[in-house]
Amino acid sequence: MTEPNRFGLLLRRLRGDAGLTIDELSAVSQVSVRTISDMERGRSQVPQRRTVEALVRALGLRDAAATALRESARAGRRVARPAPALAPPRAVADFTGRDSELRWLGALVARSTDRPDQQGAPVVAVVSGPPGLGKTALMLQAAIRYAGSFPDGVLFLDLRGLDDDPPRPADLLLRLLTALGVGETQVSGDEHDRSAQYRALLHERRILLLLDNAADETQVRPLLPGAGSTMTIITSRRGLAGLEAVDRLTLPALPRGEAVALLERIVGPERTAAEPDATLLGLAHACGNLPLALRIAGNRLLSRPEWSVAYLVRRLADHDDRLGLLVAGDLQVAAPLMLSYRQLSATAARTFRRLSVLPGPDHGLDVATQAAGLSVRETEGALEELAELGLLQPATDGRYRFHDLIRLFARARLATEETAEARRCAEDRVVTWLLAAAVAAGRWFEPEYASETGGGPATAEEASRWIEQESLNWLGALRAAFAAGRHAEVMAVADAMHWFSDRWTHWEHWLEVYQMSAASAEALGDPRGHAVHLNYVSWAYTACAMRPDLAEAPAREALRLAGAAGDLSQQGWAWLYLGSAARRRGDAVQAQAAARQSLPLFEAAADWDGYSQGLSMLAGSLAQAGRHRDAIAQYRRLEKLLADPGRAPSPRISNVTAGHLHLNIGLSLLATGRWAPAATSLRMALPMLQLSGVRQSEARCRFGLATALARLSRTEEARGQLRRTMRIARQVGPFDLVDQAVGRLAELDAAARRRVS
């Protein structure tokens, strides 16, 4: 007995149980007498869902009987229809990882099947991203995993979106309709009619439709189902932002662990077991965690059994040769990148090539404009085109980044398609602009800066944001300028950054910046400048590198050079940095002595900025020695200095210093158990520190205030300050304060539990 005839026999039995003739059932259901008769005798195809639902209502069927009739109709439809002819290609046998992405697709599958009325827009998923990420492999893996949810089959179609002339929607619809069992002579010649015919067929089916490598929205939109249970997965290098009511996934590179696991599966456990974990991590890193590159590297190792993984890692270390080495048979990283590159407009292709001269991993529009040598509007359009094709990845706040291997490809196109002179001009333009922009931004934090920007940032906040966001770009420009002997420019950038660096001490590159600037001063034969920048080096060793043991030598040399040049102020700063190093080493006595040495030098030079820092150093070293009353006395002396119009430091230094002296007075009061005055002083310090932007000091202030509040039994307020402490310290440090704050919160919670019990 065929499934369609089983439906007819069940319908006849149910009609008899209801006591209805065919004419009576026709009148109630609005289904024709002939249709009902043909269905009962098995002479027609199984009805559409709306016909079945009309019969269920007319027969008054409930629960098991209604379900039985629906399931019988569904089974008949499955048998009556030919399976789709466009079967998916072979999936990757050693597919690895992508668990979160497969779960995401699985949730969409569940959503597509949990719609019994089959009304509304069907589920459509767009998986996009740069070439080589395994978008098609992910799609095929999803088809294997979830095919059971689609009883009418899986249909795969390569849209060949990167061809010079991609297939038109009308031609693709013809292929889809014939795959669904429609004779070619029955397919309409009009594209809109074809689309309607196609959607009508899909409305009655539950198919997983895989549309691979879409060119754009215009190509793919006519291929999308209307209502029904068919689910569509589309892959494309473009984001297809114009498609409405779709779920989107931008596929990233593999996480490090999954990249290593893929290499192990390709190469085999016996071979990888002989290699250290770090070697496999190094190979994954050289491949940019890109699945295509990882597969090529793994296949190369399989074809070269005499090669160790470490040997291949060493060969891939040369950036210029890396793309040439990532080739295995007909697999190569450069080939799919070239397909995308050929899709670009001339302006976008030029921008793509020239962005490779930027030293940092990401960039904003302003520096990209300099690299491209275009107007802002032209550059912005080119960046969006590159991002749409997956050759550039959007980052945060309007910034963009290259994948490492795509950067190498862009660099190769630059070397191939542009002259050496054009490349030098682009590099020089970027370096010169970055150095000038760094000076303009850094000067905002100099004590005497008068906010005459000359085209630079409009506010200190904007300047700070630019310095941090473009840090690796201007650092790269600084390295290039130093290598080219542009020593005056190197010193200018370091001088401009000096006062800002106090606000951002956790940046790991300050020591390198000041080592380059000190070497530049020496190369220029500038003893005083050499002393200045050696002092910066000493500061960086103590405050940034946490190596106070190495800070003394540059400060001693700065003291000698400044003495020879007769510069009292720089001698004072050298003593101050010697004291800072001693204090960090825990030698409070030597720190006090160095601070006392600095004060008469600063006073003789009328350097009240330095003098205020000398007093602060003296007070801090007294506190470190446990002499808190003496420390508070020195801080009060500093407070009077800040209020003296004839001797006060510059306004910017005064503001920062005022916040820190109230912070340190509060900490000394805490140390002597004076909780209420400590809380008052710390509350006074907090807005000053926030205004000055020294966030590490703000974290220390909040932690001290929390300590005082806890002692004053203001527990909830203390908890709030501790949570804010952790948020700030996690971002900028001091990082040991995170653990201290967590511990203090635990103590407060334990105390609360003891009170309750």
Side-chain angles (χ1 to χ4, degrees):
M1 181 186 295
T2 65
E3 291 291 345
N5 197 34
R6 180 176 295 169
F7 172 81
L9 293 174
L10 178 59
L11 175 61
R12 181 184 298 172
R13 181 172 64 78
L14 291 170
R15 179 174 61 78
D17 291 346
L20 297 174
T21 66
I22 290 179
D23 289 338
E24 289 169 338
L25 179 58
S26 172
V28 176
S29 66
Q30 299 298 304
V31 177
S32 72
V33 170
R34 181 172 178 176
T35 298
I36 295 174
S37 177
D38 286 347
M39 285 190 295
E40 289 188 355
R41 289 182 294 170
R43 292 185 177 180
S44 67
Q45 290 193 5
V46 178
Q48 296 181 353
R49 288 183 177 86
R50 58 178 175 271
T51 301
V52 174
E53 292 304 316
L55 293 170
V56 166
R57 289 192 297 272
L59 292 167
L61 301 179
R62 296 182 180 277
D63 303 331
T67 299
L69 189 64
R70 290 181 182 120
E71 288 297 327
S72 178
R74 189 176 296 119
R77 281 193 292 271
R78 286 200 294 269
V79 172
R81 295 191 183 116
L86 295 173
R90 184 172 69 93
V92 177
D94 51 12
F95 184 90
T96 303
R98 298 297 191 199
D99 293 334
S100 62
E101 290 86 353
L102 286 167
R103 283 195 298 272
W104 179 80
L105 287 167
L108 297 183
V109 169
R111 199 174 85 203
S112 74
T113 56
D114 189 23
R115 301 165 64 241
D117 59 359
Q118 311 305 320
Q119 300 302 309
V123 173
V124 178
V126 174
V127 180
S128 62
L133 283 174
K135 299 182 291 295
T136 302
L138 174 66
M139 169 194 278
L140 296 176
Q141 191 67 22
I144 292 171
R145 182 172 294 194
Y146 302 116
S149 298
F150 299 94
D152 294 317
V154 178
L155 193 153
F156 176 93
L157 186 60
D158 184 354
L159 305 187
R160 303 196 337 253
L162 293 172
D163 286 5
D164 292 336
D165 184 19
R168 295 172 302 164
D171 297 330
L172 295 169
L173 284 167
L174 176 61
R175 293 192 64 195
L176 289 165
L177 284 165
T178 55
L180 290 167
V182 179
E184 193 165 338
T185 58
Q186 297 176 290
V187 176
S188 170
D190 180 78
E191 180 181 324
H192 294 292
D193 290 344
R194 281 186 187 182
S195 187
Q197 188 179 12
Y198 164 72
R199 285 176 173 151
L201 279 173
L202 288 186
H203 182 272
E204 295 300 320
R205 306 193 185 197
R206 185 177 293 173
I207 284 175
L208 179 59
L209 177 61
L210 308 177
L211 301 177
D212 192 32
N213 194 17
D216 52 32
E217 296 91 338
T218 303
Q219 185 196 41
V220 81
R221 190 176 281 114
L223 312 182
L224 298 181
S229 289
T230 288
M231 174 176 164
T232 307
I233 304 176
I234 307 167
T235 70
S236 178
R237 296 186 186 185
R238 300 180 184 272
L240 306 181
L243 293 181
E244 309 87 357
V246 301
D247 292 274
R248 301 181 184 279
L249 172 66
T250 301
L251 200 62
L254 287 173
R256 185 171 59 178
E258 292 184 6
V260 170
L262 178 57
L263 283 171
E264 290 174 335
R265 288 196 67 181
I266 295 170
V267 178
E270 296 82 6
R271 194 156 172 195
T272 56
E275 303 279 354
D277 291 343
T279 305
L280 285 173
L281 285 171
L283 181 55
H285 178 74
C287 294
N289 293 344
L290 196 73
L292 174 61
L294 293 164
R295 185 163 299 284
I296 290 170
N299 288 355
R300 290 216 72 181
L301 288 169
L302 287 176
S303 66
R304 299 286 192 278
E306 69 280 5
W307 285 10
S308 67
V309 177
Y311 173 73
L312 181 57
V313 172
R314 289 196 298 273
R315 293 198 64 183
L316 292 174
D318 187 337
H319 288 183
D320 293 335
D321 290 341
R322 187 175 300 175
L323 287 180
L325 287 169
L326 288 173
V327 176
D330 63 349
L331 286 179
Q332 52 181 299
V333 170
L337 295 175
M338 182 60 80
L339 289 174
S340 289
Y341 180 70
R342 287 174 177 164
Q343 301 280 316
L344 297 173
S345 66
T347 299
R350 171 181 169 176
T351 302
F352 175 73
R353 295 191 301 268
R354 294 189 175 184
L355 287 175
S356 67
V357 307
L358 297 180
D362 61 5
H363 55 80
L365 175 61
D366 49 3
V367 67
T369 299
Q370 299 301 317
L374 301 169
S375 69
V376 171
R377 178 172 294 182
E378 288 173 318
T379 305
E380 193 166 25
L383 293 174
E384 285 301 306
E385 185 178 342
L386 291 169
E388 177 67 10
L389 262 174
L391 291 174
L392 204 60
Q393 299 167 288
T396 57
D397 298 332
R399 298 178 66 76
Y400 298 86
R401 68 169 59 244
F402 269 131
H403 184 278
D404 289 347
L405 294 180
I406 296 178
R407 178 192 292 276
L408 294 180
F409 177 76
R411 190 178 298 167
R413 300 322 308 160
L414 180 69
T416 301
E417 298 183 31
E418 304 209 22
T419 65
E421 180 62 25
R423 296 197 301 271
R424 278 194 300 271
C425 285
E427 290 165 357
D428 287 346
R429 184 169 58 247
V430 166
V431 168
T432 299
W433 184 86
L434 280 168
L435 296 179
V439 170
R443 287 188 63 229
W444 269 98
F445 305 95
E446 292 176 356
E448 301 296 338
Y449 185 60
S451 73
E452 296 173 0
T453 62
T459 64
E461 291 75 17
E462 185 180 321
S464 175
R465 185 165 54 251
W466 187 92
I467 291 170
E468 294 186 23
Q469 286 185 334
E470 301 293 356
S471 59
L472 295 182
N473 280 312
W474 65 256
L475 175 64
L478 196 71
R479 289 168 175 161
F482 179 72
R486 297 166 64 170
H487 297 304
E489 292 170 275
V490 173
M491 291 177 67
V493 171
D495 275 322
M497 290 292 172
H498 169 56
W499 289 100
F500 176 79
S501 59
D502 266 330
R503 296 165 167 254
W504 199 32
T505 56
H506 65 286
W507 192 50
E508 60 185 321
H509 298 290
W510 288 124
L511 180 59
E512 182 188 358
V513 168
Y514 296 130
Q515 286 174 328
M516 284 191 289
S517 64
S520 287
E522 185 176 21
L524 291 173
D526 178 2
R528 182 194 173 277
H530 196 193
V532 170
H533 290 267
L534 282 172
N535 274 330
Y536 297 164
V537 170
S538 178
W539 169 85
Y541 270 126
T542 298
C544 306
M546 304 301 173
R547 291 299 305 272
D549 55 312
L550 300 178
E552 184 169 347
R556 291 284 181 193
E557 180 62 9
L559 185 61
R560 185 188 70 78
L561 290 168
D567 190 315
L568 298 175
S569 179
Q570 285 305 313
Q571 291 177 66
W573 283 107
W575 279 113
L576 200 61
Y577 292 129
L578 285 167
S580 295
R583 189 177 173 195
R584 185 62 63 90
R585 293 195 305 268
D587 191 341
V589 173
Q590 188 174 343
Q592 291 170 42
R596 294 185 192 280
Q597 288 276 7
S598 73
L599 290 172
L601 292 164
F602 285 133
E603 188 168 24
D607 182 349
W608 304 118
D609 290 345
Y611 192 85
S612 67
Q613 301 311 299
L615 276 178
S616 183
M617 168 69 67
L618 177 58
S621 56
L622 288 167
Q624 185 178 16
R627 297 168 57 184
H628 292 288
R629 293 186 183 277
D630 292 338
I632 291 172
Q634 293 298 331
Y635 282 127
R636 296 301 183 195
R637 181 183 168 194
L638 176 56
E639 191 173 16
K640 289 179 182 178
L641 177 76
L642 298 181
D644 183 348
R647 289 160 54 89
S650 56
R652 288 179 184 270
I653 299 300
S654 290
N655 292 337
V656 174
T657 304
H660 281 88
L661 80 87
H662 288 297
L663 164 63
N664 291 317
I665 287 173
L667 295 178
S668 282
L669 289 168
L670 275 180
T672 56
R674 300 168 65 186
W675 317 123
T680 299
S681 186
L682 293 166
R683 285 189 193 280
M684 191 179 301
L686 191 54
M688 298 179 185
L689 295 170
Q690 289 175 300
L691 188 62
S692 68
V694 186
R695 304 217 59 210
Q696 288 186 328
S697 297
E698 181 188 344
R700 291 172 54 225
C701 185
R702 290 190 182 279
F703 183 78
L705 181 56
T707 302
L709 291 169
R711 291 288 190 165
L712 294 169
S713 299
R714 302 177 67 168
T715 306
E716 283 308 310
E717 193 176 352
R719 283 196 179 98
Q721 293 297 341
L722 288 170
R723 293 189 191 102
R724 292 185 183 95
T725 298
M726 288 189 293
R727 281 199 295 270
I728 297 170
R730 282 191 179 114
Q731 294 173 357
V732 300
F735 300 110
D736 59 340
L737 207 55
V738 176
D739 293 336
Q740 293 179 47
V742 169
R744 191 61 52 84
L745 275 171
E747 290 172 8
L748 292 176
D749 291 341
R753 287 194 296 270
R754 285 195 298 271
R755 285 194 296 271
V756 170
S757 61

